[in-house]
Amino acid sequence: MNKKELSTNAAGNVSLGGEISVHRLGFGAMRLTGEGIWGPPKDRKGALAVLRRAVELGINFIDTADSYGPYISEELIAEALFPYPAGLVIATKGGWNRPGPNQWAHDATPSHLRKAVEGSLKRLRLDRIDVYQLHIPDPVVSFEASVETLAQLRNEGKIRLVGLSNVAQEHIERAHKIVPIVSVQNRYSFADREWDYVVAYCERNAIAFIPWFPLGAGRVAGEVLCRIPQAYRASPTQVALAWLLQRSPIMLPIPGTSSIEHLEQNVAAASIRLSKEEYEELSGVPELVGSR
Ligand SMILES: NC(=O)c1ccc[n+]([C@@H]2O[C@H](COP(=O)([O-])OP(=O)(O)OC[C@H]3O[C@@H](n4cnc5c(N)ncnc54)[C@H](OP(=O)(O)O)[C@@H]3O)[C@@H](O)[C@H]2O)c1
């Protein structure tokens, strides 16, 4: 890949609620924290450099959450990038806490979400969060109560746009009765297609779909991924990202990395166009997995 191709411009744009347009390849800031998404990174300077390089390469959508670290990911973003360049969108989340390494605890109660938004505003040094996502529905809290809280915070000017994460179509429809939903963030890749129908729903309703864990997993996926890249002198990761970008114009991948080298590889994937046959071969991987 030459320097000319090293920009997210090649991915095109996606609209968030008809209000903000961002390049269709973002950055996931979860991996900048310590091991187990817990505590500070081993290489703090390196983490700050990755964030700055991401913006230099044209990335203008950064995904984070209060629970990454906890708090560390948001603090690093502010330290690296504040005052933020015009057009940079930081999408954070709340409602799923990190009480220890590799542990999760639900809390999407209205009182917690209010506190969480205030905390994110402070750490990110913002007056208003461009995109605030409910991290996951809380099984013991009314989903409507969680979403209504985000709608109120939006009316108060603390949130600009509301997104959801780890949801089914039914949640999006219920939430949409309360507040416009601009993005949905679920686990998704060429080899992991549980949420295909949600991607289709988002496409019909002009909602951005943000796939997390976008690189695919498993032996069959790995075999196909290792064969296709040879034609492009690309890495398997780049091919997995290229598939996502071709899957739908509302797709907004946010590959996460703590390495500048990997970041540059991921951005270069925006310039890869898979042939129809390659795209379809990758699309068929879930069936291959199922038949073995
Ligand atoms: N909503 C949710 O519930 C949820 C859950 C998980 C994640 N997320 C978001 O989604 C983002 C992405 O998800 P993810 O981090 O789980 O998965 P991912 O982006 O699919 O994978 C990240 C892993 O892949 C490695 N990697 C990245 N680029 C690479 C490259 N070019 N070559 C080789 N290895 C590479 C990274 O290691 P190195 O650091 O060594 O590059 C890291 O271990 C997160 O940062 C977070 O913002 C959301």
Side-chain angles (χ1 to χ4, degrees):
M1 293 282 160
N2 62 36
K3 287 267 176 222
K4 195 167 95 325
E5 291 165 316
L6 204 54
S7 159
T8 52
N9 290 342
N13 294 317
V14 65
S15 168
L16 298 170
E19 278 199 39
I20 313 180
S21 176
V22 292
H23 292 148
R24 221 154 60 84
L25 191 80
F27 178 75
M30 183 178 85
R31 303 276 175 181
L32 294 179
T33 64
E35 229 178 285
I37 324 300
W38 182 258
K42 275 197 197 112
D43 175 7
R44 187 177 187 88
K45 265 195 189 156
L48 297 172
V50 167
L51 284 161
R52 292 184 184 122
R53 184 72 182 129
V55 170
E56 267 173 27
L57 293 172
I59 285 178
N60 58 5
F61 182 88
I62 297 181
D63 179 76
T64 184
D66 59 358
S67 50
Y68 298 163
Y71 313 140
I72 306 282
S73 171
E74 290 183 334
E75 286 165 1
L76 287 170
I77 291 168
E79 185 178 338
L81 300 172
F82 187 86
Y84 301 114
L88 178 67
V89 172
I90 299 168
T92 193
K93 318 181 197 75
W96 211 16
N97 298 334
R98 199 79 170 158
N102 296 313
Q103 293 170 31
W104 291 105
H106 290 276
D107 192 353
T109 53
S111 60
H112 173 75
L113 286 175
R114 277 199 163 271
K115 261 196 276 168
V117 167
E118 294 297 346
S120 291
L121 281 167
K122 210 163 148 196
R123 285 184 293 277
L124 290 168
R125 307 182 209 169
L126 289 168
D127 298 325
R128 182 176 66 164
I129 293 164
D130 275 330
V131 180
Y132 195 86
Q133 306 157 94
L134 180 64
H135 207 149
I136 191 168
D138 184 333
V140 298
V141 174
S142 141
F143 178 68
E144 273 73 15
S146 302
V147 175
E148 270 159 20
T149 308
L150 298 187
Q152 282 162 15
L153 288 159
R154 181 170 172 263
N155 290 340
E156 291 164 25
K158 295 182 175 172
I159 293 174
R160 182 170 178 188
L161 300 168
V162 176
L164 299 174
S165 177
N166 300 305
V167 288
Q169 178 176 327
E170 174 230 3
H171 293 108
I172 312 170
E173 288 168 344
R174 281 163 62 190
H176 208 78
K177 290 185 185 146
I178 300 168
V179 67
I181 297 301
V182 305
S183 62
V184 169
Q185 183 173 148
N186 282 3
R187 200 191 64 216
Y188 188 77
S189 72
F190 74 96
D192 180 358
R193 305 273 289 287
E194 181 183 356
W195 300 112
D196 258 337
Y197 81 101
V198 171
V199 173
Y201 177 84
C202 287
E203 210 173 79
R204 289 196 300 279
N205 291 281
I207 296 170
F209 185 90
I210 306 172
W212 63 263
F213 199 43
L215 306 182
R219 187 170 63 83
V220 178
E223 282 165 14
V224 180
L225 266 190
C226 284
R227 196 156 14 90
I228 291 180
Q230 286 163 14
Y232 300 94
R233 281 188 293 152
S235 70
T237 306
Q238 289 176 316
V239 170
L241 289 171
W243 183 89
L244 279 169
L245 290 167
Q246 268 171 252
R247 169 68 181 81
S248 168
I250 48 98
M251 195 67 71
L252 169 53
I254 48 164
T257 178
S258 55
S259 134
I260 290 198
E261 194 191 335
H262 287 169
L263 169 70
E264 292 182 349
Q265 284 173 10
N266 296 345
V267 169
S271 305
I272 297 174
R273 297 284 172 274
L274 301 171
S275 69
K276 194 166 170 279
E277 292 72 30
E278 289 159 343
Y279 176 83
E280 278 167 8
E281 187 177 1
L282 284 165
S283 304
V285 164
E287 284 156 39
L288 287 173
V289 173
S291 66
R292 289 204 179 178

